[in-house]
Amino acid sequence: MSLLRLSPSNLLSAVTTTPPESNRVCPRIHLKKKETSALTRQRLGFNTTFRFNTFQRQALRCCLSMPVEGPTSSSQDRLLYFSRAYWVSRSQIAWNVGAEDGSCYLYTSKSARLSVTNDGNHGIEGYDMRIKLEVDNTGLSENVMEKFPHIRDYRAFKVPMTLDVKNLLKCQLAVAMYKSDGKWSTATGLQLPGVLDELFSYNGPLGAFFSAEAEVSACIYEDSSGGDPVQIVPLQEFNGVWSVNGPRSWEGCYYVYEVSVYHPSTLRIEKCIANDPYARGLSADGRRTLFVDLDSDALKPEGWDTLADDKPALHSFSDISIYELHIRDFSMVFYSVTDPTVHPDFRGGYLAFTSQDSAGVRHLKRLSSAGLTHVHLLPSFHFADVADEKDKWKNADNQMLESLPPDSDEQQAHITAIQNEDGYNWGYNPVLWGVPKGSYASNPNGPCRTIEFRKMVQALNCVGFRVVLDVVYNHLHGSGPFDENSVLDKIVPGYYLRLNKDGCIEHSTCVNNTASEHFMVERLILDDLLCWAVDYKAHIDVSSQKLNQLHIALLK
């Protein structure tokens, strides 16, 4: 047992902070009447074409006049795989280069054709624009140094005020230094989060939500996997936000984004197939995002709307004591054998907590009577490395294992052989934070996971426990344009994941550090916390964040 040190009121104040109404781009989120659904995407200014499509790769659809070529094998070209300069604001670029005499130029290419040569007169070829940058002798501004303290000593360059920066950010970008004799010296790519935050930070609604507006344009799949889309409709962009309105009949259907975007990891325009970062429902294994209205009565167990009034009493914060458990393990076995007290269809899932006469629930009742107040659930969001469809799991042959000598190495070898294909994982491989894990549901497609997660919370409250959710916002399992578990790095490459001074992804938190210091990353985390708090009744319980010190500020 342990005492929880995070005040519920502190967490609630963090997740319920909302912008002034005058700053909301789409106040439709507050409307109660539901006639149509509206799909909104935040893109932060990259040159992308969003389409609903399958996860199968098809012909590239982008507005390029020439075919995209891969990067050359030149050792000089490898400099562009690094992004050692920072576009920190609309008016400044920071780069750790010497103060010797010379010139700095910004290069742009809409078709990602920049390459570095050894030609002293050119340095970089394949560009659409070449813009001279003057040294800013005043140095980096105070707000830039506060946001990026690790580059406070970098040299500052002025970005001409006449440039159309928003459109330039849609291109492949690089900067190059030339010596006083005009010969090329060095070059690198650019990290963009600073200027993106300044120009495209957004406080309006994101994801699929339901409103009373009636304009219709459909772009959906009827099925959770396979088949062709019912229709493909490009989203419309306004100041970095991409959206399309559609009919209420989209509810229960699926969608994905097809994003054509320059990706610095390949130096190419890539077609990325991605789920919605603001997904609230998924198909099995996260192949597609589900249109789901979490406020629909059909997704609420009986008594759900009044559950907040029936929560177990907590007279003092110091009374909190916590019991941690894993959703699957809670009901899969009992004294090393399959638990016969749980219905076979419920074992290892959310509904096992609703079996009031099972061995596990009887044990929880005894713990509650003994004074424990909270159940801490290991990660229950959508994570990688466990198939949502249980018939894909590989299971150990327990009878064979029991027949082996106690000192044999064969037991471990047998378990190791299937460890990446069984149904067990603690869940610290986050893919999408805002959707319950499908492998714990009786059906990973459709809205079952939402209904059954709510029934689990309700059942635990009835036993006498409040619910603590273990959420993991400091890293993501996938990255890059092709990883099936990559989402955010396909939508805005180089923004959602923290980069080091070379422009490579940091992995100190485990893998793929998330950059919560960037406006829209922090916004995504807080919106996700708000979803669990409001839509799954965790706001009256506690959301427990196993985060490193880089995320503590979010809870203040």
Side-chain angles (χ1 to χ4, degrees):
M1 295 187 297
S2 62
L3 291 179
L4 192 65
R5 295 187 293 272
L6 175 63
S7 165
S9 60
N10 287 344
L11 179 61
L12 186 60
S13 66
V15 300
T16 56
T17 300
T18 56
E21 192 64 31
S22 60
N23 291 336
R24 293 185 180 274
V25 176
C26 302
R28 296 170 290 182
I29 196 170
H30 296 297
L31 298 178
K32 298 298 184 182
K33 183 179 179 182
K34 305 177 184 69
E35 299 296 339
T36 68
S37 63
L39 177 66
T40 305
R41 278 297 318 129
Q42 164 262 335
R43 268 294 301 126
L44 290 174
F46 276 75
N47 184 22
T48 62
T49 303
F50 284 87
R51 301 183 189 277
F52 297 92
N53 214 326
T54 67
F55 276 95
Q56 299 173 348
R57 297 183 62 77
Q58 300 178 2
L60 178 64
R61 301 186 181 196
C62 59
C63 301
L64 301 180
S65 58
M66 294 179 288
V68 176
E69 296 179 357
T72 71
S73 59
S74 166
S75 61
Q76 299 293 348
D77 273 341
R78 295 173 189 168
L79 288 171
L80 299 185
Y81 278 103
F82 297 101
S83 297
R84 292 168 172 156
Y86 295 70
W87 199 330
V88 291
S89 69
R90 163 63 183 81
S91 59
Q92 284 190 323
I93 288 174
W95 192 8
N96 191 23
V97 290
E100 69 275 2
D101 292 336
S103 302
C104 182
Y105 288 87
L106 171 66
Y107 293 87
T108 75
S109 173
K110 292 181 180 179
S111 54
R113 299 177 67 86
L114 295 181
S115 62
V116 180
T117 73
N118 288 313
D119 189 330
N121 294 321
H122 293 91
I124 289 186
E125 294 182 336
Y127 57 86
D128 301 319
M129 295 180 64
R130 182 175 186 254
I131 303 138
K132 187 172 183 179
L133 303 177
E134 300 293 342
V135 175
D136 189 341
N137 292 318
T138 63
L140 297 175
S141 64
E142 288 295 328
N143 64 310
V144 166
M145 289 191 289
E146 181 179 357
K147 184 167 185 174
F148 302 101
H150 57 294
I151 62 168
R152 61 184 308 115
D153 296 326
Y154 278 29
R155 200 174 184 188
F157 295 89
K158 297 178 183 177
V159 177
M161 295 304 296
T162 56
L163 287 183
D164 182 358
V165 172
K166 288 186 177 181
N167 277 323
L168 289 186
L169 293 175
K170 302 173 183 179
C171 304
Q172 181 189 17
L173 300 169
V175 287
M177 285 294 297
Y178 291 82
K179 300 176 182 178
S180 57
D181 60 5
K183 292 185 177 181
W184 170 78
S185 173
T186 188
T188 189
L190 284 152
Q191 297 189 34
L192 304 178
V195 66
L196 291 178
D197 275 353
E198 180 175 317
L199 297 181
F200 295 105
S201 295
Y202 169 72
N203 285 317
L206 295 168
F209 61 96
F210 293 80
S211 73
E213 298 191 4
E215 184 179 352
V216 177
S217 56
C219 182
I220 53 176
Y221 291 90
E222 291 182 341
D223 301 317
S224 59
S225 63
D228 295 323
V230 176
Q231 190 175 353
I232 298 175
V233 178
L235 279 69
Q236 301 300 313
E237 187 267 344
F238 176 74
N239 200 32
V241 178
W242 298 76
S243 63
V244 65
N245 294 331
R248 180 73 189 204
S249 60
W250 284 6
E251 186 176 5
C253 296
Y254 299 86
Y255 66 98
V256 293
Y257 294 123
E258 179 182 299
V259 186
S260 295
V261 61
Y262 170 72
H263 208 290
S265 68
T266 63
L267 304 185
R268 298 180 59 166
I269 304 291
E270 300 291 359
K271 184 187 73 172
C272 302
I273 305 300
N275 277 302
D276 192 334
Y278 274 78
R280 296 298 178 246
L282 292 168
S283 64
D285 297 327
R287 288 186 289 265
R288 291 171 181 165
T289 302
L290 174 70
F291 279 109
V292 59
D293 180 5
L294 296 183
D295 197 40
S296 170
D297 290 339
L299 304 188
K300 298 177 182 178
E302 184 179 354
W304 180 253
D305 285 334
T306 60
L307 183 62
D309 300 327
D310 300 325
K311 292 281 184 176
L314 183 66
H315 300 293
S316 172
F317 182 67
S318 61
D319 292 337
I320 291 177
S321 57
I322 300 174
Y323 184 74
E324 184 178 80
L325 60 81
H326 187 280
I327 293 173
R328 177 184 180 274
D329 287 1
F330 170 71
S331 58
M332 284 299 290
V333 295
F334 184 68
Y335 290 112
S336 300
V337 298
T338 301
D339 188 350
T341 66
V342 179
H343 190 284
D345 293 339
F346 293 179
R347 288 176 192 149
Y350 303 122
L351 292 180
F353 293 87
T354 67
S355 300
Q356 293 297 307
D357 293 328
S358 69
V361 172
R362 291 199 303 269
H363 179 63
L364 289 179
K365 290 178 179 178
R366 289 192 292 269
L367 293 176
S368 177
S369 298
L372 271 72
T373 61
H374 289 64
V375 164
H376 175 117
L377 299 176
L378 268 67
S380 52
F381 48 76
H382 179 59
F383 56 82
D385 292 343
V386 170
D388 283 345
E389 295 166 308
K390 298 178 179 62
D391 58 1
K392 295 181 179 179
W393 295 357
K394 291 186 176 180
N395 299 299
D397 184 342
N398 290 330
Q399 187 174 3
M400 183 272 290
L401 294 177
E402 291 172 359
S403 69
L404 296 171
D407 60 348
S408 172
D409 294 333
E410 293 185 45
Q411 293 96 327
Q412 186 63 45
H414 182 72
I415 297 298
T416 301
I418 64 169
Q419 65 181 358
N420 294 324
E421 299 174 87
D422 61 10
Y424 177 75
N425 192 296
W426 279 358
Y428 294 98
N429 307 338
V431 178
L432 282 163
W433 295 315
V435 185
K437 176 62 176 169
S439 64
Y440 300 144
S442 59
N443 184 352
N445 295 306
C448 280
R449 63 180 79 193
T450 295
I451 301 169
E452 293 174 9
F453 191 100
R454 287 172 165 175
K455 287 183 177 181
M456 174 186 66
V457 172
Q458 193 174 45
L460 284 167
N461 288 169
C462 290
V463 171
F465 285 100
R466 294 178 175 233
V467 179
V468 178
L469 300 182
D470 188 342
V471 290
V472 185
Y473 293 124
N474 61 348
H475 71 274
L476 289 165
H477 188 65
S479 63
F482 307 123
D483 189 332
E484 64 180 7
N485 292 313
S486 174
V487 177
L488 297 177
D489 200 40
K490 293 177 179 178
I491 300 295
V492 191
Y495 180 81
Y496 284 97
L497 301 181
R498 183 175 295 117
L499 307 180
N500 62 21
K501 290 185 178 182
D502 288 331
C504 302
I505 296 172
E506 289 277 13
H507 300 293
S508 60
T509 60
C510 185
V511 293
N512 299 317
N513 295 17
T514 49
S516 58
E517 65 273 18
H518 301 159
F519 183 92
M520 295 306 297
V521 184
E522 180 185 54
R523 160 82 195 274
L524 177 61
I525 292 171
L526 294 179
D527 285 348
D528 185 76
L529 282 170
L530 187 61
C531 172
W532 289 110
V534 174
D535 296 316
Y536 291 96
K537 307 293 186 185
H539 63 302
I540 299 177
D541 305 334
V542 184
S543 285
S544 170
Q545 299 192 70
K546 285 194 173 180
L547 307 176
N548 57 27
Q549 293 299 317
L550 299 174
H551 289 72
I552 294 301
L554 296 179
L555 303 178
K556 292 181 179 178

